[in-house]
Amino acid sequence: MYKKLLTTLGLSLSLALPIHSSHADTFLPIISFAAGLLNVGVLPTSDDYTTDDDINITAFDGVNLTANIFVPNNLDGLAPAIVFINSWGLNEYEYLQQANDLAKKGYIVLSYTTRGFGKSGGLIDTVGPKDISDYSTVIDYLLANYPVDPQAIGTGGISYGSGISLIGAAQDSRVKAVAAMSSWGDIAEALYGNQTPRLVWTELLILLGGLTGSPDPILSQHWDTLKNQNLAEIPAVLDWAYERSPIHFVDQLNANGTAVYMAKAYGDNLFQPNSLLDMFGQLTGPKHVDVLPGTHATAELLPSLVGIGDNIIWENAYKWFDLHLKGEQSDIATAKPLQMKIKFQDKYEGFDDYPIKETSQEKFYLHPRSLLDTGDLESYPYQSWFGKDNTINAWAGTLFSTQIPLLSQVLEQLEIPIFADISLASDVRSIHFDSGYLGSKMEIRGAPSVTLQIQPKHNQVQLVAYLYDMDWFGTGKLITHGVITLPNAQSGKKITVDFDLVTTAYDIPKGHRLVLAIDTKDPQYQSPTNTNYNLDFEFSSSKQSVLSVPTL
């Protein structure tokens, strides 16, 4: 029923909104993308290239993969080629705008639909061995049927397609350059980092996979294992995730000399930036990464489809292919490899690598709150003859929050911050610590981390830490956050927990305060329990709780 409806709507759209070459620049991006969502190809036309939307490629096991191709007219000899791979839930029509642009620049551009999606056969393999085999089969097909320069092949994609590109290029040395946008380093960290199931995004992926494709049942089984904290079965899920994690293929990418371009959003709470940037730091070949505000895939899609925001990602992806497949020089050849857009500023800063060597770890020691005072962030350790504890309750969330999943992070891309009134947050369900007024601007670049001394009063616990920039009026602007879950804690035992917050680039103005807030729930994440339990924060001279912030 659903697929029949998609087909009917798609045909109606293709008839009602024809694309002519004279109107392609005006109508192509949004109309072709909308039609592609319905599995209908509305391809642009141009005197510069010829298209074919009837390509079928047979995989090693007989599965049919559908594809389209753009071939420049008047080729003189062999041409560079780019293969695009679809995002999760999408298909071969996702990159028609980019194929149009690149074909006009002299590239042969083939886009295919991965197995299990669109009109391709088979079950969704979730970047597994079959997907990687298909990747090489598509390149075989391209070389066998079109005048492709075998020394000038690149691949790329957003999200799902980016992961296949990275792992595929690691195992296929014919690929010289990759553009991996909204990708991940470690899929286990992405879906279950710090033993915390990423509830909203993963549920959305499972739903979308079922609506638009044919998922392998193992995907839902693995997600149920993580979501329900079935600890005995989790090692098998982590084994499954290992071979689907590009960070474990860095050595092959380095050996191949693959030129890797990556792009990532700070607010991508599906694939948070940390593990991808860790992978970036391990690459030794040509590399470049742009990190900027937004959420999963929005920094790539909003500018190219509807003209909202800076289209730097696709512009740099084109430059990357031009540099490494055609030898054409541009500013990306001399730019610092790591480019970070400072949140809520029209400013980029460049660095040589990650972690950023120019930063130092600024440490703040947590001092307990009292009846008339909030907790403090101090430059010196807490000292007391007697230990002290502060208690919070986990029955509900608080004003400290990442707010509306997906939407709030898109609004950050549009320069609309996530705010919280620090003074109104519950002292029963949360705790916060603030610094004094800053005597100079604090430039945060990287992933802050926390070490907390706690005593959980339950055997399943979650902690969510938020870092805020608080102004003179007590309004906090969210800088970043992090989470950890203890699915098998020992109630009443005092323990130390350490975890990183999400990488960011943010400037706190002089005169504002840095605030660390902590509660036990956030809408992004699966809570381990609905039990109403208490959690103590322990303070003593012998064991310190510390916030560490990488600053310039």
Side-chain angles (χ1 to χ4, degrees):
M1 179 66 181
Y2 175 78
K3 293 182 178 179
K4 182 178 179 180
L5 177 61
L6 286 185
T7 302
T8 301
L9 290 174
L11 290 172
S12 299
L13 180 60
S14 63
L15 291 172
L17 299 170
I19 299 297
H20 302 291
S21 59
S22 61
H23 297 98
D25 290 340
T26 301
F27 295 115
L28 172 64
I30 191 65
I31 292 176
S32 63
F33 189 82
L37 292 175
L38 304 172
N39 234 341
V40 175
V42 180
L43 275 62
T45 60
S46 171
D47 293 335
D48 295 316
Y49 55 74
T50 300
T51 62
D52 185 351
D53 190 26
D54 295 316
I55 294 176
N56 291 280
I57 302 170
T58 303
F60 74 97
D61 56 354
V63 164
N64 180 67
L65 306 174
T66 62
N68 63 69
I69 198 165
F70 288 58
V71 181
N73 295 329
N74 303 317
L75 284 179
D76 183 15
L78 301 179
I82 295 171
V83 176
F84 281 124
I85 304 107
N86 59 281
S87 301
W88 185 270
L90 299 181
N91 52 53
E92 65 187 272
Y93 303 119
E94 180 177 358
Y95 305 104
L96 295 180
Q97 175 63 40
Q98 289 73 33
N100 167 76
D101 296 342
L102 290 164
K104 289 179 177 179
K105 291 164 64 71
Y107 291 93
I108 296 172
V109 185
L110 183 145
S111 299
Y112 75 96
T113 303
T114 54
R115 60 174 59 222
F117 284 115
K119 296 179 182 178
S120 290
L123 298 179
I124 299 168
D125 195 38
T126 318
V127 200
K130 293 178 182 178
D131 278 327
I132 304 308
S133 175
D134 294 345
Y135 174 91
S136 291
T137 297
V138 169
I139 295 172
D140 292 341
Y141 175 90
L142 192 59
L143 287 167
N145 291 279
Y146 295 92
V148 170
D149 182 351
Q151 300 304 313
I153 298 173
T155 70
I158 298 172
S159 186
Y160 191 57
S162 72
I164 294 174
S165 285
L166 288 169
I167 298 176
Q171 300 191 27
D172 194 326
S173 61
R174 295 175 297 180
V175 177
K176 305 305 179 185
V178 165
M181 295 155 280
S182 283
S183 197
W184 65 93
D186 186 335
I187 197 67
E189 189 272 343
L191 301 181
Y192 191 62
N194 290 327
Q195 297 182 286
T196 305
R198 272 52 177 170
L199 178 66
V200 174
W201 272 106
T202 312
E203 290 284 358
L204 180 61
L205 289 184
I206 296 294
L207 175 64
L208 188 60
L211 288 175
T212 63
S214 301
D216 187 324
I218 194 66
L219 183 61
S220 290
Q221 293 172 23
H222 283 339
W223 172 233
D224 286 343
T225 293
L226 298 179
K227 182 171 63 174
N228 297 318
Q229 298 284 8
N230 295 329
L231 300 183
E233 299 175 19
I234 285 176
V237 181
L238 300 182
D239 288 343
W240 174 89
Y242 187 93
E243 65 180 349
R244 291 163 167 82
S245 299
I247 197 169
H248 300 307
F249 295 87
V250 168
D251 288 345
Q252 292 97 311
L253 287 168
N254 291 338
N256 293 343
T258 312
V260 178
Y261 171 79
M262 298 189 288
K264 174 55 63 176
Y266 298 117
D268 184 345
N269 288 317
L270 171 58
F271 303 139
Q272 291 173 340
N274 293 21
S275 72
L276 187 72
L277 289 171
D278 288 343
M279 175 182 169
F280 175 81
Q282 296 175 36
L283 290 169
T284 59
K287 61 182 181 180
H288 186 99
V289 62
D290 290 313
V291 194
L292 61 169
T295 189
H296 188 69
T298 61
E300 301 92 332
L301 292 177
L302 288 183
S304 64
L305 291 180
V306 292
I308 296 176
D310 189 350
N311 199 28
I312 189 172
I313 292 178
W314 279 114
E315 291 171 358
N316 279 347
Y318 291 177
K319 292 175 184 178
W320 194 252
F321 286 135
D322 288 345
L323 176 62
H324 294 285
L325 302 183
K326 298 167 71 175
E328 294 182 359
Q329 298 294 310
S330 65
D331 56 355
I332 203 168
T334 56
K336 295 282 190 180
L338 169 59
Q339 294 289 321
M340 304 181 83
K341 188 176 191 297
I342 313 308
K343 292 180 71 171
F344 312 115
Q345 297 186 48
D346 187 19
K347 181 175 73 171
Y348 283 83
E349 289 182 353
F351 304 96
D352 290 321
D353 217 332
Y354 190 89
I356 298 168
K357 294 180 181 178
E358 293 86 345
T359 61
S360 58
Q361 295 295 323
E362 190 165 351
K363 289 189 175 182
F364 296 88
Y365 294 89
L366 278 58
H367 289 223
R369 68 186 178 193
S370 61
L371 183 61
L372 300 177
D373 186 23
T374 65
D376 295 320
L377 297 175
E378 302 286 3
S379 60
Y380 52 89
Y382 174 71
Q383 297 291 337
S384 175
W385 289 105
F386 304 100
K388 185 174 182 179
D389 60 59
N390 292 155
T391 302
I392 66 172
N393 185 271
W395 72 270
T398 71
L399 291 178
F400 301 128
S401 171
T402 58
Q403 294 189 4
I404 304 171
L406 287 72
L407 176 61
S408 294
Q409 290 71 45
V410 172
L411 292 177
E412 283 194 318
Q413 183 177 342
L414 304 178
E415 307 293 325
I416 301 172
I418 297 171
F419 290 109
D421 190 324
I422 305 295
S423 63
L424 295 180
S426 171
D427 288 337
V428 174
R429 303 190 307 279
S430 66
I431 188 170
H432 69 274
F433 308 84
D434 61 78
S435 68
Y437 295 112
L438 299 178
S440 61
K441 178 172 65 173
M442 177 183 287
E443 298 174 301
I444 303 173
R445 304 290 184 270
S449 62
V450 292
T451 297
L452 301 175
Q453 309 298 333
I454 63 170
Q455 184 181 35
K457 301 300 179 66
H458 192 257
N459 58 4
Q460 292 180 307
V461 176
Q462 186 170 93
L463 291 169
V464 190
Y466 308 88
L467 209 59
Y468 287 98
D469 164 13
M470 186 172 72
D471 64 19
W472 288 82
F473 303 101
T475 300
K477 185 188 296 184
L478 185 64
I479 301 171
T480 186
H481 80 286
V483 63
I484 190 169
T485 302
L486 307 176
N488 192 25
Q490 183 175 336
S491 180
K493 182 179 180 179
K494 295 180 180 180
I495 57 174
T496 303
V497 293
D498 301 276
F499 59 102
D500 290 340
L501 280 60
V502 177
T503 295
T504 192
Y506 186 96
D507 291 347
I508 303 179
K510 176 182 177 180
H512 284 203
R513 296 187 184 209
L514 176 68
V515 175
L516 173 67
I518 304 167
D519 65 13
T520 60
K521 297 182 188 298
D522 189 90
Q524 299 278 356
Y525 306 108
Q526 173 74 28
S527 177
T529 179
N530 292 320
T531 301
N532 180 8
Y533 65 89
N534 286 336
L535 176 71
D536 290 348
F537 292 84
E538 301 291 332
F539 302 90
S540 70
S541 301
S542 59
K543 290 189 175 181
Q544 300 289 328
S545 292
V546 180
L547 166 67
S548 183
V549 182
T551 60
L552 294 178

